[in-house]
């Protein structure tokens, strides 16, 4: 899970916890138990503080939930959008940039994405946030293909295949080892681009994997 580093001072009288302690525990709870378990009193008990600490940092439970949703957008969605927009010498390298999100959970946390999608089943507002995030991610990947000469429809379909395959992979909870997936890297790149990857392209990504 992506853990937020402390960035503020603890509330007076509750020196043990900060706002980020509340958010990190709320994220862990959302992922493990669902949004209905993200409640002020149980979180405070786990942190060993009173509810007054919570209200020093947040206006309400809804305020906390809104910040969890904002964190998800600023991490999972922004990671994909930033890498799809990153300059690349070829579409192969562009796709490998996006692959970084799938390969490093510090960039894209699939468990958090799944938890938000489960939450969306209970909230129309979160469903709209999911729809917008999917559109933003797909648009960025489509534009990446367009930048490398693919026509509008081809770029649109290739973006959907790349993105939906990966999200489906998470939704199915497949347990394939990373090493097994990486062993098929060249074939995946051919499938997603219609081009033959160079050895240097594969080696570049393998260096990224080794440095995680």
């Amino acid at each position: 899970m992506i853990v937020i580093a402390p960035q503020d001072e603890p509330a007076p009288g509750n020196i043990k916890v900060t706002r980020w302690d509340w958010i990190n525990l709320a994220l862990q709870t959302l992922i493990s138990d669902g949004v209905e378990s993200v409640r002020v009193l149980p979180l405070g008990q786990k942190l060993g503080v009173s509810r007054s600490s919570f209200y020093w940092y947040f206006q309400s439970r809804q305020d906390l939930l809104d910040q969890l949703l904002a964190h998800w957008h600023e991490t999972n969605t922004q990671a994909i959008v930033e890498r799809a927009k990153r300059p690349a010498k070829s579409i192969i390298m562009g796709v490998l940039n996006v692959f970084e999100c799938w390969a490093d959970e510090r960039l894209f946390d699939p468990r958090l994405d799944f938890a938000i999608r489960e939450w969306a089943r209970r909230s129309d507002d979160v469903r709209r946030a999911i729809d917008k995030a999917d559109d933003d991610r797909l648009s960025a990947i489509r534009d990446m293909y367009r930048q490398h000469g693919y026509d509008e429809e081809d770029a649109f379909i290739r973006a959907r295949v790349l993105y939906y395959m990966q999200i489906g992979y998470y939704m199915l909870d497949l347990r394939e080892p990373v090493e097994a997936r990486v062993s098929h890297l060249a074939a995946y790149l051919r499938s997603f681009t219609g081009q033959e990857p160079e050895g240097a392209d594969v080696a570049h990504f393998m260096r990224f994997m080794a440095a995680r």
Side-chain angles (χ1 to χ4, degrees), residues 59-74:
Q59 296 180 4
S60 62
R61 175 177 180 264
Q62 187 59 52
D63 182 22
L64 172 62
L65 294 179
D66 289 344
Q67 293 192 42
L68 298 185
L69 201 60
H71 168 74
W72 163 75
H73 176 75
E74 292 164 3

Side-chain angles (χ1 to χ4, degrees), residues 12-24:
N14 287 287
I15 60 173
K16 292 187 293 184
V17 301
T18 68
R19 173 173 171 268
W20 300 105
D21 292 323
W22 283 98
I23 291 178
N24 281 324

Side-chain angles (χ1 to χ4, degrees), residues 123-139:
S123 168
D124 291 340
D125 288 341
V126 178
R127 177 72 260 175
R128 284 189 287 271
I130 283 281
D131 291 342
K132 183 179 186 306
D134 285 336
D135 286 345
D136 289 347
R137 297 170 187 183
L138 278 167
S139 294

